[in-house]
Amino acid sequence: MGKGAFDEIGSTRVTLKWFSCMVLSSQIVGVIAIILLAVLFGQYRGGFAWTSDINKEFNYHPLFMTLGMIFFYGDAILAYRVFRDVKKLRVKILHGSLLALSLIFASIGLKAVFDSHNLADPPKPNLYSLHSWVGLTAVVLFGAQWVCGFVSFLFPKLSEEIRKAYMPSHKFWGKAIFILAVGAVLMGITEYSIFKSIYGDDKVKYQRNLINFFGVFVLIFAGIILYLVSNPGYQRPPENEIEHNQLDPLLDSIRTNDLNGVETWMEGSDWQTIVQVLQTHSPGPTTTAGNRSSHMDYEDQRDLASSLSQWNCPRCTFINDGSSRTCEICSCEKGS
């Protein structure tokens, strides 16, 4: 594990170098897993086709389900960790787009397996195995999770109170569905190997090895993803949660010298976010030796708001109070 540095309150900051290595490792492992599966079904199991050959069409099922429900899903989960310094709206769009891509691949993969059953002569039954139950449940939950996330956080974007209440569930189900998908993929490839007698035939030992290595790499990929998203040291820094549109009302009030507007903004939740960031990243007054103050009182808040509303004279550079229209030294008008 990478070396960490301890800050003034004793919490561990994990180095970004180790984080970057882990992210890179996850991508390498994930790509290898996809390549192993493509080689297995492309070279040893007949290749790929659409409805013209239902046996070859089935081969799209494991490949596309792994691409969608494992690889792109895992990358979507990592988006907020990897792009921690990018504007949050852009990361939201990337996160949602990767999940949409996952859903598209999963849908095509499901069509491939249903076609291989329904178009067979005679038709084969659907949804009879535990793998099919778990897999379909994962896809349905994934789709519901994507819709709820899109409506809550992107468009039409629900109120802040609802988003805050829903966020813990969104995070939990995101990881839970990912784990469910990993289980479904491993059950599916094992079921396929048993049906095709791959494990009991030494003539196809290369295929058996490809399947086993594929399963190992999927587990490693999933383990890295879950480790990175569960480690608090890799979370998006709190200061990056402050979006520009949250500060716009305050800045407008400062520009127009509207102290009432500043005080109204301070009473909202956006101000509390900034206070929390200041408490976390700035040294504050101490109540006892070695302990930091746990809050910023109202007078401190007013002082900070007042300092934000001050302006520099463009002529003599004197710092004037926000309520003054002209410079106290040279009488130059504010904004001239």
Side-chain angles (χ1 to χ4, degrees):
M1 182 173 179
K3 296 180 179 179
F6 290 89
D7 61 16
E8 66 275 13
I9 59 174
S11 62
T12 305
R13 295 196 195 113
V14 186
T15 60
L16 290 180
K17 182 178 180 180
W18 173 250
F19 172 80
S20 300
C21 290
M22 293 294 287
V23 172
L24 179 61
S25 298
S26 72
Q27 299 309 290
I28 293 174
V29 169
V31 170
I32 291 176
I34 297 299
I35 292 175
L36 290 175
L37 206 58
V39 170
L40 173 67
F41 287 98
Q43 181 172 345
Y44 293 104
R45 307 307 299 183
F48 303 95
W50 293 113
T51 54
S52 59
D53 189 330
I54 58 174
N55 291 322
K56 293 182 179 180
E57 183 182 8
F58 170 84
N59 292 344
Y60 280 117
H61 172 68
L63 181 62
F64 281 8
M65 297 305 290
T66 303
L67 272 170
M69 297 300 293
I70 304 297
F71 186 72
F72 288 122
Y73 191 0
D75 282 356
I77 293 175
L78 282 184
Y80 284 101
R81 300 295 192 271
V82 174
F83 302 102
R84 59 176 59 205
D85 296 319
V86 177
K87 190 175 180 181
K88 193 173 183 182
L89 177 59
R90 296 177 181 176
V91 184
K92 283 183 182 180
I93 294 174
L94 175 63
H95 178 72
S97 299
L98 285 173
L99 292 176
L101 189 62
S102 301
L103 192 58
I104 291 172
F105 273 106
S107 299
I108 298 174
L110 287 178
K111 181 182 184 303
V113 70
F114 279 115
D115 281 351
S116 69
H117 286 193
N118 297 333
L119 300 180
D121 188 18
K124 299 177 182 178
N126 292 307
L127 303 175
Y128 59 85
S129 67
L130 178 61
H131 158 68
S132 61
W133 286 21
V134 173
L136 188 60
T137 299
V139 175
V140 171
L141 289 176
F142 178 88
Q145 168 89 339
W146 186 86
V147 171
C148 291
F150 185 88
V151 171
S152 299
F153 302 109
L154 270 176
F155 184 82
K157 193 174 183 180
L158 303 181
S159 67
E160 183 177 359
E161 290 74 16
I162 295 178
R163 296 200 309 271
K164 286 183 177 180
Y166 172 60
M167 179 58 76
S169 296
H170 185 72
K171 291 181 177 179
F172 168 79
W173 283 108
K175 290 183 285 188
I177 296 169
F178 179 68
I179 294 173
L180 196 65
V182 171
V185 165
L186 296 180
M187 283 191 290
I189 198 66
T190 302
E191 179 183 285
Y192 178 85
S193 301
I194 294 173
F195 285 172
K196 299 298 182 180
S197 301
I198 293 177
Y199 285 141
D201 188 355
D202 287 338
K203 295 180 180 179
V204 292
K205 62 180 181 180
Y206 295 111
Q207 298 179 41
R208 182 170 63 227
N209 291 336
L210 285 174
I211 290 172
N212 290 340
F213 277 116
F214 164 76
V216 170
F217 280 111
V218 166
L219 286 174
I220 294 175
F221 177 81
I224 294 175
I225 298 297
L226 293 174
Y227 166 73
L228 292 177
V229 299
S230 301
N231 192 320
Y234 301 137
Q235 289 182 355
R236 185 180 175 91
E239 63 267 26
N240 290 350
E241 300 299 322
I242 303 174
E243 301 185 32
H244 294 293
N245 58 357
Q246 293 176 280
L247 298 176
D248 286 343
L250 173 64
L251 297 176
D252 290 339
S253 298
I254 292 174
R255 293 189 190 101
T256 59
N257 196 30
D258 181 9
L259 292 181
N260 290 331
V262 172
E263 292 184 2
T264 300
W265 186 88
M266 287 167 53
E267 295 173 357
S269 58
D270 292 336
W271 169 251
Q272 299 304 321
T273 301
I274 293 182
V275 171
Q276 182 181 5
V277 172
L278 291 174
Q279 291 173 350
T280 303
H281 298 277
S282 301
T286 56
T287 54
T288 58
N291 294 327
R292 295 173 58 183
S293 174
S294 61
H295 69 281
M296 178 183 289
D297 60 31
Y298 186 71
E299 291 301 322
D300 291 334
Q301 297 177 15
R302 287 184 59 87
D303 290 343
L304 180 57
S306 176
S307 65
L308 289 173
S309 64
Q310 292 173 345
W311 58 280
N312 289 73
C313 175
R315 181 183 299 170
C316 67
T317 70
F318 180 76
I319 300 177
N320 295 274
D321 186 81
S323 60
S324 301
R325 290 290 184 180
T326 59
C327 177
E328 298 178 16
I329 301 299
C330 66
S331 300
C332 179
E333 291 188 2
K334 180 180 180 180
S336 61

